[in-house]
Amino acid sequence: MTTDTGTGATGLSGHVHRLTTLVRAADARHPWPWDALPTLVWTVAALVDASGGWRTTALDRTVPVWAVVTLSLALSLPLYGRRRHPVAMLAVMSCAALVSAASGAFLQSSYLQLLPLFHLALVRPPRALLWAPVLLLPPLLTGAVLHPRGGWEQHAVPALWAYALVALLGITVRSRRDHTAALVDRARRLETERDQEVRLAAAAERTRIAREMHDIVGHHLSVVTGLADGGRYAAARNPERAAQALDAIGTTSREALAELRRLLGVLRDDGPEADRAPQPTLADLDALLTGVRKAGLPVRFDLRGEPAAPPLTPGAQLTVYRIVQESLTNALKHAGEGARATVVLSHTAHEVRVEVTDTDGTAPPPAGPSHRGQGLTGMRERAALYDGTLDSGPLPTGGWRTALRLPREDSPS
């Protein structure tokens, strides 16, 4: 029973809300019918009262009928402009109410002043309400002085209470409306911020994917290029070595395709079973170095210290792997014949350091950092993601040095 009642109430309140919304929208598009209709209704009521009913409350019944009709129109017709010009309309009606009180007619249409007073409290700043007592008190004081009836509390206090309650009602409705508008604006801003966060997340994901694609494709193509060049020279002298180079090219190409499929598979698969974990780790460095050696670049690997507990996160291990991969790829591209590379991985209690150096062999020294700049921005971004630092630059004797410092997550930055 309670559930049904609640559902019915909710349905009814929903219909009322929709109807109110439609009425407000129509009022915003065409305000004049909603101003004219109440004005017409109250004008008819005032004229009906002027036809004879006014004598039931009048203290002076000798007031001419034409004066009563004129005052009734002056108290009802200004209602048409009550929403746009509440102070001006209230001033006109207060003048008519002053004449009504002074003449002793005490027309009941004087209470129509409550309508512009309500809109004054609803649409004007609070300081505008200071005009209300200036305009409303003179008719009350004039009637109490010229036509006393009983005590002051019987003549003016009920009217003052009515004016105060209507003003408070206007202030309450205004506060509620402002609060609702603030909530709507906040919801709109939150929606905008959410859309911006989604776009930023998408941009960050595109950047990450571009970085992964660059590292994967750039490294494997460099290895394939080195193997192809070596196989071409070996084909005339040692066909067996050429066949080995072709096998290595096939293996490297398949590895590149597998990594690309894995990366693109994450993009296609939105389910919870999608494998989004970083694939290469520090354990895969040996396979990386082996592939680089097959491509023709001798690499010496030096491990210093023992990995501390807890181990690096998968993301941090991927960062180390990709930076080593990019550094060796640059060495394959730019170092000449007879070049050599050294990879030093150092573990301490607070950080992990990686240093990759290569000598240019017989090739001329590079003209500047631009020769090794491809991917340097990506390496620095990877290091910055884990509060690390990356230094990279040419060596005085020729070659290149890349140094990474990556603090552990449980140690201070």
Side-chain angles (χ1 to χ4, degrees):
M1 179 64 71
T2 304
T3 304
D4 295 341
T5 304
T7 304
T10 302
L12 179 60
S13 64
H15 288 303
V16 172
H17 176 71
R18 286 190 291 271
L19 179 61
T20 304
T21 302
L22 291 176
V23 170
R24 288 177 177 173
D27 185 20
R29 292 193 301 269
H30 306 289
W32 68 267
W34 308 97
D35 292 332
L37 182 61
T39 303
L40 179 62
V41 171
W42 288 113
T43 300
V44 172
L47 293 177
V48 170
D49 183 64
S51 64
W54 65 276
R55 292 186 175 88
T56 59
T57 57
L59 295 181
D60 185 358
R61 299 179 182 178
T62 63
V63 179
V65 175
W66 64 267
V68 173
V69 173
T70 302
L71 291 174
S72 298
L73 293 175
L75 288 167
S76 56
L77 291 179
L79 292 178
Y80 184 77
R82 69 191 184 280
R83 296 197 294 179
R84 295 184 298 276
H85 310 288
V87 177
M89 298 302 102
L90 183 60
V92 173
M93 297 173 71
S94 296
C95 292
L98 178 62
V99 175
S100 173
S103 65
F106 288 101
L107 298 178
Q108 298 182 72
S109 53
S110 298
Y111 288 105
L112 294 178
Q113 296 175 99
L114 296 172
L115 294 178
L117 175 62
F118 172 79
H119 286 283
L120 177 62
L122 181 65
V123 300
R124 290 291 187 267
R127 63 177 179 273
L129 281 174
L130 297 176
W131 285 101
V134 174
L135 298 173
L136 296 174
L137 285 178
L140 294 178
L141 296 177
T142 301
V145 172
L146 297 181
H147 303 280
R149 51 178 178 178
W152 167 262
E153 66 279 358
Q154 297 180 3
H155 183 77
V157 170
L160 290 176
W161 271 111
Y163 295 151
L165 291 176
V166 169
L168 289 175
L169 177 62
I171 294 173
T172 302
V173 174
R174 177 187 181 135
S175 300
R176 179 64 180 174
R177 185 182 63 182
D178 293 344
H179 178 67
T180 303
L183 291 179
V184 172
D185 180 68
R186 180 183 178 187
R188 186 179 297 109
R189 285 189 287 105
L190 289 176
E191 184 177 358
T192 302
E193 291 175 0
R194 183 195 62 187
D195 294 340
Q196 291 176 347
E197 290 177 356
V198 170
R199 288 194 292 269
L200 290 175
E205 186 67 11
R206 286 195 298 269
T207 302
R208 185 190 69 82
I209 293 172
R211 205 159 45 221
E212 293 290 325
M213 296 282 286
H214 169 268
D215 291 343
I216 292 172
V217 175
H219 170 73
H220 286 89
L221 286 180
S222 297
V223 172
V224 168
T225 301
L227 291 171
D229 291 340
R232 184 183 62 183
Y233 288 115
R237 301 179 182 179
N238 192 340
E240 183 180 352
R241 292 295 300 273
Q244 293 176 357
L246 292 175
D247 291 339
I249 290 174
T251 301
T252 304
S253 301
R254 283 189 292 272
E255 290 177 356
L257 288 175
E259 288 196 47
L260 288 176
R261 288 195 185 102
R262 185 185 304 117
L263 183 62
L264 297 177
V266 172
L267 298 179
R268 289 193 298 267
D269 194 352
D270 294 330
E273 68 278 1
D275 184 12
R276 291 177 170 83
Q279 296 302 315
T281 63
L282 294 182
D284 299 306
L285 284 177
D286 289 337
L288 173 66
L289 300 179
T290 300
V292 174
R293 293 186 185 109
K294 289 181 179 179
L297 178 66
V299 182
R300 182 172 64 87
F301 180 62
D302 188 3
L303 178 61
R304 300 176 182 177
E306 295 294 331
L312 290 177
T313 62
Q317 294 188 46
L318 176 63
T319 297
V320 174
Y321 179 92
R322 291 302 187 198
I323 288 177
V324 172
Q325 183 185 58
E326 179 66 19
S327 301
L328 295 178
T329 301
N330 288 336
L332 279 171
K333 290 179 180 178
H334 304 291
E337 295 181 4
R340 301 174 110 20
T342 302
V343 178
V344 179
L345 176 61
S346 304
H347 291 278
T348 66
H350 302 292
E351 62 185 12
V352 173
R353 290 181 178 269
V354 179
E355 184 175 318
V356 182
T357 57
D358 67 83
T359 57
D360 285 338
T362 59
S370 60
H371 292 271
R372 303 291 180 90
Q374 186 68 27
L376 183 58
T377 301
M379 288 194 290
R380 284 178 175 160
E381 289 175 353
R382 287 184 182 276
L385 284 176
Y386 294 92
D387 203 15
T389 58
L390 182 77
D391 294 326
S392 184
L395 295 172
T397 57
W400 200 267
R401 173 182 174 273
T402 301
L404 168 69
R405 186 192 68 82
L406 204 64
R408 294 185 178 276
E409 292 187 352
D410 56 348
S411 62
S413 174

